Amino acid sequence: MKYLQYIFWTLLIIVPCLFTILIYNDKITQNSPIYYRQGVQFYNDGNYADAFYNFSKIKRISPLYAMALYKQAKSAQKIGDYKTAALKYDLFLKKMPESVFSTNARLNLAKSYYYLKQYDNARIEFEKLEQNNNLSTDEIFFLGLIERNYDIEKAAQYFRKYLDIALNEENSGKYYVIGCAKELSSLGIELSNDDMKLIGIAYFNEHKYQEALEYFSKLPVEICWDYLVLANHYSGSKVIAKKLIEEGFKTYAKHAEENKLNEIYNIYVSYLSGNRLKNWQQIEKLVRENKLKGIDYVFYKLAEISPREKSVVYYREIYQNYQKSRYAAEALWNLIWYAYKKNDYISVEKLSLKHLKIYKKVNSTPKVIFWLGKTYLKQNKIQEAHNVFNKLITRYPDDYYGLRAASILGKKNDFWETSKNNKLPTDKAEIDFPISTADVDIKDLKLINTLFNMGDYEVWLDADFTNPIVESWFEFKKGKKSRSIVLARDEISKMEIKAPVISAVYKLAYPVYMTKEINISGEKLEIDPFLIASIIREESYYNENARSRTGAIGLMQLMPQTANYMLNRLNVSNTADIEDIRTNLYLGSNYLKYLKDKFNNDLYVVTAYNGGEGAAGKWTKKFNGEDYDEFIEDIPYDETRNYVKKVFRTYQMYKKIYK
């Protein structure tokens, strides 16, 4: 009996306790997502103190506790409380030592120790990252800063390593380049010639030419002649630059980097009096006499400005004697085009097949395939043409030439025709997160999805993997329109097998913004909104603050004189701000309407928008109206020719994605 009483009283005490714990835990489970979501909102709004407070209310027993620690650390770091940040990062790493966020947490822990001047602790954390091969370029810079307190020579090695990587062409634009150059120069060690050249190039690449000259001028001229010339030219000391060029062709140019030497050839041509053709012929003579690099580049420049019969000689010289040149594939394409225009279809086929055999995948490949197909059509070899076009569509479905091939096979004659009845779909402006493109472990994906559901999208950027499509999506969400488009565009170009055209990556590469305003403009002016959107994408990538080297302004890249002409034509005050996105859209759309009324041909309108109505008028008068493909390929201005292709590719892609 006593035994039963003992059990009864035990249950009477334990059951209510368990019940209370369950209720408490359930309350925590319910409240934690609320606190986390509020914390994310505060964090995104830049209110880091309130974000920290909300994240700190999440209890230890919550499944969100570890990530709350991480977000507390980030919030503290944002307001400069590195002591708290270090504490929270350390706690997070103890809770989740092997998570996809561990590398980023350890990196920020190391940086927090550095800012707290706890260099021993910072060094330990950075070395852990180094051992796991998780050390990025910027962390190399921080290691250099830390080593200043221990080993000056080791610090110098880190700074040199950072600059070596950061100044690489593919890794340009690193954040700490100038800081690193200053650190290396202030270590108090004797700088070698290599060090001074490295520091000089760091300043040069950041367009700080006077600072660059301070280092280049201390070096023997043969070591940095090319940079000396360019730094003097771009800093305005053109007399010195010209003298250096003329003195250096015989003695120093042989040591120059080839791309810099080609740049110097262009500069020297601009210094010479007389016409461009004679000037480039003078460069050719100098290059031959001194046996300098870049003769293939000089031939290519001569080919571009010489009469057609002579240009063919230069293109043939490049193709036959410099097949590994970066200009060889394009030179061969020009020979193909020359043969096509002379109706020499046997040579077109022969040269095209050679091009496709030698140059597997270069910029001119889809163009060569397309015109081989057109050549077969000219010869009435229908099946061969269809085979070639199908190959082009399979390999380059989103390329201008792939889209043209699809149009030809589909027997559609409206490739360059637009419709005033089209509408941009306002309900499709939002883009879903491209989770299907992410190669992520299911456990990590589950956690990330949980955080996404609470609005914490930025957490993806803290994870230990990179995905340009996802990064593009984040830039899209942050309103960084141009950056988002470029990331998605570049990723598509790398795809061997293209994603479905309605996938997130294509919507990121070809987004629609300001749909209401563009639709209204299109309807009012009887212009296809897809065409307006295509012009905007190719002109500015939707960057309303864009300014070109030639002075074009804003969303639709209007030249000031064009904008002023339209202001007067539309009776709008000439004090209107043409950089304002709505004003820019209004003026640009009306300019399209003006060109449409003048040319009554969408292809000519787009040509004139870039090349100018005067030049476009001359080109269209010479055209017999038979083959628009030939008209485009014969546009004399490289920029305008490529622009027309880009706009109509974008126009067709917009229709595929959204219509």
Side-chain angles (χ1 to χ4, degrees):
M1 192 70 178
K2 278 188 177 181
Y3 180 70
L4 289 173
Q5 284 181 337
Y6 177 76
I7 294 173
F8 172 77
W9 286 109
T10 301
L11 289 172
L12 193 65
I13 295 168
I14 292 174
V15 169
C17 289
L18 287 172
F19 186 69
T20 302
I21 290 169
L22 286 171
I23 291 173
Y24 180 67
N25 285 353
D26 187 55
K27 189 175 181 182
I28 288 174
T29 304
Q30 290 176 7
N31 288 342
S32 292
I34 296 171
Y35 292 136
Y36 195 95
R37 191 187 300 274
Q38 288 175 179
V40 168
Q41 288 174 348
F42 282 124
Y43 186 91
N44 291 342
D45 291 339
N47 193 341
Y48 303 115
D50 284 341
F52 183 93
Y53 173 73
N54 273 269
F55 291 127
S56 68
K57 293 182 77 172
I58 297 172
K59 304 299 182 184
R60 290 176 180 270
I61 60 173
S62 168
L64 294 171
Y65 177 68
M67 288 309 299
L69 286 171
Y70 183 77
K71 300 299 282 192
Q72 285 177 69
K74 289 196 72 176
S75 301
Q77 196 171 17
K78 286 287 188 180
I79 57 178
D81 183 356
Y82 296 109
K83 184 175 181 181
T84 301
L87 173 66
K88 298 298 180 180
Y89 280 127
D90 187 53
L91 287 170
F92 171 80
L93 286 166
K94 287 172 181 173
K95 290 283 290 183
M96 297 181 72
E98 303 297 329
S99 79
V100 290
F101 305 103
S102 299
T103 298
N104 196 281
R106 193 169 301 284
L107 165 62
N108 283 300
L109 174 60
K111 286 183 177 180
S112 297
Y113 282 142
Y114 170 78
Y115 290 124
L116 290 167
K117 298 184 179 180
Q118 296 180 19
Y119 301 123
D120 287 339
N121 288 336
R123 196 182 195 189
I124 290 167
E125 298 304 329
F126 275 123
E127 284 173 352
K128 286 178 184 177
L129 289 167
E130 195 170 20
Q131 288 165 9
N132 294 325
N133 297 316
N134 287 323
L135 207 59
S136 70
T137 318
D138 290 353
E139 282 70 79
I140 292 169
F141 173 65
F142 272 92
L143 269 170
L145 293 176
I146 292 165
E147 287 299 335
R148 287 196 65 144
N149 302 282
Y150 300 97
D151 186 334
I152 294 296
E153 186 49 47
K154 196 170 181 182
Q157 289 173 12
Y158 279 122
F159 292 140
R160 291 182 190 115
K161 185 177 180 181
Y162 176 91
L163 290 175
D164 274 332
I165 297 170
L167 298 178
N168 180 285
E169 197 170 327
E170 293 180 3
N171 294 286
S172 60
K174 295 294 183 182
Y175 186 73
Y176 298 110
V177 166
I178 296 300
C180 191
K182 288 179 178 178
E183 290 292 339
L184 181 57
S185 62
S186 66
L187 285 175
I189 61 173
E190 184 177 349
L191 296 174
S192 67
N193 286 346
D194 286 342
D195 289 338
M196 286 194 282
K197 184 173 181 180
L198 206 55
I199 294 168
I201 293 172
Y203 282 113
F204 179 89
N205 283 7
E206 297 297 315
H207 311 295
K208 296 181 180 294
Y209 301 116
Q210 290 296 342
E211 292 90 335
L213 284 168
E214 288 180 25
Y215 290 91
F216 292 144
S217 61
K218 297 174 185 176
L219 296 170
V221 178
E222 63 267 19
I223 291 177
C224 62
W225 170 80
D226 45 358
Y227 282 101
L228 267 173
V229 169
L230 295 171
N232 274 290
H233 171 76
Y234 292 126
S235 65
S237 303
K238 297 185 179 181
V239 174
I240 297 173
K242 186 180 180 186
K243 185 180 178 183
L244 280 165
I245 291 172
E246 291 172 341
E247 290 176 352
F249 270 134
K250 290 184 179 179
T251 50
Y252 307 125
K254 291 176 183 177
H255 307 290
E257 295 177 18
E258 187 170 346
N259 64 324
K260 294 290 183 288
L261 194 55
N262 291 345
E263 200 173 341
I264 289 169
Y265 295 153
N266 277 303
I267 287 169
Y268 192 53
V269 163
S270 72
Y271 289 166
L272 297 173
S273 57
N275 65 52
R276 289 181 69 219
L277 183 56
K278 286 184 179 179
N279 292 349
W280 276 105
Q281 287 169 342
Q282 187 174 334
I283 295 289
E284 180 191 1
K285 184 181 177 184
L286 283 167
V287 172
R288 286 187 183 279
E289 285 176 352
N290 296 289
K291 298 179 180 178
L292 299 177
K293 292 171 282 190
I295 188 66
D296 54 332
Y297 176 73
V298 175
F299 285 152
Y300 196 80
K301 297 299 290 186
L302 281 165
E304 287 183 319
I305 58 177
S306 295
R308 178 162 284 188
E309 296 297 328
K310 181 62 176 175
S311 71
V312 169
V313 175
Y314 287 120
Y315 286 133
R316 190 171 290 118
E317 175 80 11
I318 297 168
Y319 161 62
Q320 290 178 346
N321 297 320
Y322 302 92
Q323 279 196 4
K324 293 185 178 179
S325 162
R326 71 178 71 176
Y327 310 103
E330 196 65 26
L332 181 50
W333 149 251
N334 278 282
L335 294 176
I336 293 167
W337 184 239
Y338 178 75
Y340 184 91
K341 294 294 286 183
K342 292 180 73 71
N343 300 324
D344 182 1
Y345 302 130
I346 294 173
S347 293
V348 171
E349 183 175 1
K350 180 182 175 183
L351 292 171
S352 296
L353 294 174
K354 277 188 177 180
H355 187 290
L356 298 174
K357 182 180 179 181
I358 299 170
Y359 309 107
K360 299 297 182 185
K361 196 173 182 181
V362 293
N363 289 339
S364 51
T365 301
K367 182 164 52 178
V368 170
I369 298 172
F370 177 77
W371 284 101
L372 178 59
K374 292 273 283 192
T375 299
Y376 285 138
L377 286 180
K378 286 276 190 179
Q379 297 172 291
N380 206 31
K381 297 179 179 178
I382 305 302
Q383 189 56 53
E384 289 91 333
H386 283 199
N387 290 342
V388 168
F389 286 142
N390 279 317
K391 176 183 178 182
L392 179 56
I393 294 164
T394 301
R395 289 176 62 183
Y396 302 95
D398 56 355
D399 182 86
Y400 167 80
Y401 290 102
L403 294 165
R404 276 293 298 127
S407 178
I408 290 171
L409 288 185
K411 297 183 179 179
K412 295 179 180 178
N413 299 316
D414 61 348
F415 189 84
W416 296 284
E417 293 177 12
T418 66
S419 172
K420 65 182 181 181
N421 297 319
N422 285 332
K423 289 284 185 293
L424 290 174
T426 54
D427 60 325
K428 294 183 181 178
E430 191 55 50
I431 302 172
D432 293 332
F433 179 75
I435 199 73
S436 60
T437 67
D439 182 18
V440 188
D441 183 89
I442 190 67
K443 172 176 62 68
D444 297 322
L445 192 57
K446 187 176 179 181
L447 172 60
I448 289 168
N449 264 326
T450 300
L451 300 174
F452 278 2
N453 289 333
M454 288 178 286
D456 190 4
Y457 298 111
E458 192 181 70
V459 73
W460 183 278
L461 300 178
D462 295 325
D464 189 20
F465 39 74
T466 57
N467 186 305
I469 300 173
V470 173
E471 190 180 346
S472 169
W473 185 83
F474 279 111
E475 297 297 315
F476 165 78
K477 293 295 284 185
K478 290 188 285 186
K480 304 270 184 79
K481 300 168 187 174
S482 301
R483 174 70 177 154
S484 173
I485 293 171
V486 169
L487 284 166
R489 179 203 67 188
D490 291 350
E491 193 61 18
I492 288 170
S493 71
K494 296 174 188 174
M495 291 177 177
E496 290 294 329
I497 299 173
K498 302 297 184 184
V501 76
I502 59 169
S503 63
V505 64
Y506 274 103
K507 289 182 179 179
L508 290 164
Y510 297 91
V512 287
Y513 296 104
M514 299 179 66
T515 51
K516 182 180 177 182
E517 293 89 342
I518 293 173
N519 279 335
I520 291 172
S521 290
E523 184 176 359
K524 191 173 182 179
L525 300 171
E526 297 187 331
I527 298 174
D528 191 333
F530 281 111
L531 179 62
I532 298 173
S534 300
I535 294 280
I536 292 171
R537 182 189 183 274
E538 293 309 323
E539 287 288 355
S540 66
Y541 277 9
Y542 287 93
N543 176 8
E544 56 262 32
N545 299 315
R547 275 185 175 267
S548 75
R549 289 176 299 172
T550 56
I553 295 170
L555 204 66
M556 297 191 74
Q557 286 292 275
L558 295 169
M559 294 297 290
Q561 57 268 37
T562 303
N564 287 329
Y565 174 74
M566 292 309 300
L567 286 170
N568 291 329
R569 185 179 175 85
L570 298 165
N571 294 318
V572 177
S573 169
N574 58 11
T575 60
D577 182 7
I578 63 173
E579 291 186 66
D580 174 74
I581 55 173
R582 286 174 177 78
T583 304
N584 201 277
L585 173 64
Y586 175 72
L587 295 175
S589 300
N590 274 278
Y591 184 51
L592 281 175
K593 171 65 173 173
Y594 164 77
L595 293 173
K596 195 172 180 69
D597 290 342
K598 180 169 185 174
F599 288 101
N600 195 31
N601 179 301
D602 295 318
L603 173 55
Y604 297 166
V605 166
V606 174
T607 303
Y609 194 91
N610 179 269
E613 59 182 290
K618 291 177 185 176
W619 301 334
T620 56
K621 281 179 184 176
K622 291 180 182 178
F623 177 55
N624 59 20
E626 289 181 6
D627 190 328
Y628 284 143
D629 288 312
E630 288 190 35
F631 169 78
I632 293 169
E633 224 65 75
D634 274 333
I635 291 173
Y637 299 171
D638 287 348
E639 182 188 326
T640 303
R641 184 169 61 252
N642 292 327
Y643 176 84
V644 169
K645 295 174 189 175
K646 287 177 182 178
V647 168
F648 280 101
R649 177 201 60 196
T650 296
Y651 177 76
Q652 296 298 334
M653 290 303 295
Y654 269 139
K655 289 203 298 182
K656 278 178 174 287
I657 295 166
Y658 297 108
K659 192 175 178 182

